[in-house]
Amino acid sequence: LGFQCDMDCSYCYLQSFINSNYLTVYTNIEDAFTELRQFDHLKNQPVRIGTGEVIDSLSLDPITLYSRRLINFFRQFPNWKLEFKTKSAYVEQFLDCEHANNVIVSWSINPKRVIESEEIGTASLAQRLAAAKICQERGFSVCFHIDPMIWHPEWKDSYSELIDSITSDFSPDS
């Protein structure tokens, strides 16, 4: 989908790994679909495709609408899993898409304190959890990544509160 991120997390590996301050959004998504079709022989195999390794999957999606095109494409491959990984709360743009129950919307999360001090330009914890709840209600699988865990003096309490926030609205089944 692209390269780099429009958010500014203090610990982000992209800032050193990519070694560029420039955000790049690819416009040749059809080429990606062509490349994925080359794996048609794996159509019945479990394959996971993640879009959030070197760019946030959804932070620019209200502009690109790539999620809609990806969800539609992956309907052809119901055994494959498509994962969007984000720190945003942008999900409204694809909630009406028909999917093959093979789309996972995942959030990288941390306690409120860490988000406020270290994850500049990201959605709040409450916004992320609300977006996840909406996705779950629309039949999308949801996932949470506590990534990275950041030590601070009240880390035990804040991470316990984070787990309580997640488990109050989500179960492992979802």
Side-chain angles (χ1 to χ4, degrees):
L1 300 179
F3 214 54
Q4 200 43 283
C5 187
D6 60 325
M7 299 175 191
D8 190 22
C9 299
S10 66
Y11 54 79
C12 184
Y13 76 95
L14 293 178
Q15 295 175 18
S16 60
F17 172 74
I18 293 178
N19 202 22
S20 171
N21 293 330
Y22 298 106
L23 175 64
T24 301
V25 177
Y26 300 128
T27 59
N28 60 339
I29 194 165
E30 287 302 322
D31 291 344
F33 294 148
T34 299
E35 290 177 18
L36 286 168
R37 282 187 196 95
Q38 292 175 7
F39 294 96
D40 188 63
H41 62 284
L42 298 175
K43 186 178 208 167
N44 296 316
Q45 300 298 314
V47 174
R48 178 199 164 271
I49 305 292
T51 63
E53 304 304 323
V54 292
I55 191 169
D56 186 284
S57 297
L58 298 176
S59 68
L60 298 173
D61 199 57
I63 298 167
T64 66
L65 298 178
Y66 283 169
S67 63
R68 299 182 66 80
R69 296 177 70 188
L70 286 160
I71 291 168
N72 184 52
F73 177 84
F74 274 78
R75 284 180 34 221
Q76 303 168 58
F77 302 92
N79 292 316
W80 292 8
K81 299 286 186 193
L82 168 66
E83 182 178 7
F84 297 121
K85 188 173 182 185
T86 190
K87 288 182 185 170
S88 79
Y90 298 127
V91 298
E92 296 290 332
Q93 67 278 4
F94 64 79
L95 292 176
D96 65 331
C97 290
E98 183 181 337
H99 57 91
N101 295 317
N102 61 347
V103 178
I104 303 163
V105 188
S106 67
W107 282 266
S108 178
I109 59 170
N110 258 303
K112 179 181 176 186
R113 172 188 176 156
V114 173
I115 291 172
E116 290 173 352
S117 65
E118 306 300 329
E119 298 181 357
I120 309 307
T122 67
S124 69
L125 177 61
Q127 291 169 323
R128 294 180 210 186
L129 295 178
K133 192 71 174 163
I134 292 168
C135 286
Q136 180 183 41
E137 290 167 357
R138 299 289 172 92
F140 293 94
S141 295
V142 298
C143 180
F144 301 103
H145 302 264
I146 301 175
D147 181 24
M149 290 186 73
I150 296 180
W151 184 90
H152 55 279
E154 294 85 32
W155 72 272
K156 284 184 183 179
D157 291 335
S158 62
Y159 279 99
S160 292
E161 289 170 15
L162 175 65
I163 298 302
D164 289 344
S165 295
I166 295 168
T167 58
S168 67
D169 284 325
F170 303 92
S171 70
D173 299 344
S174 62

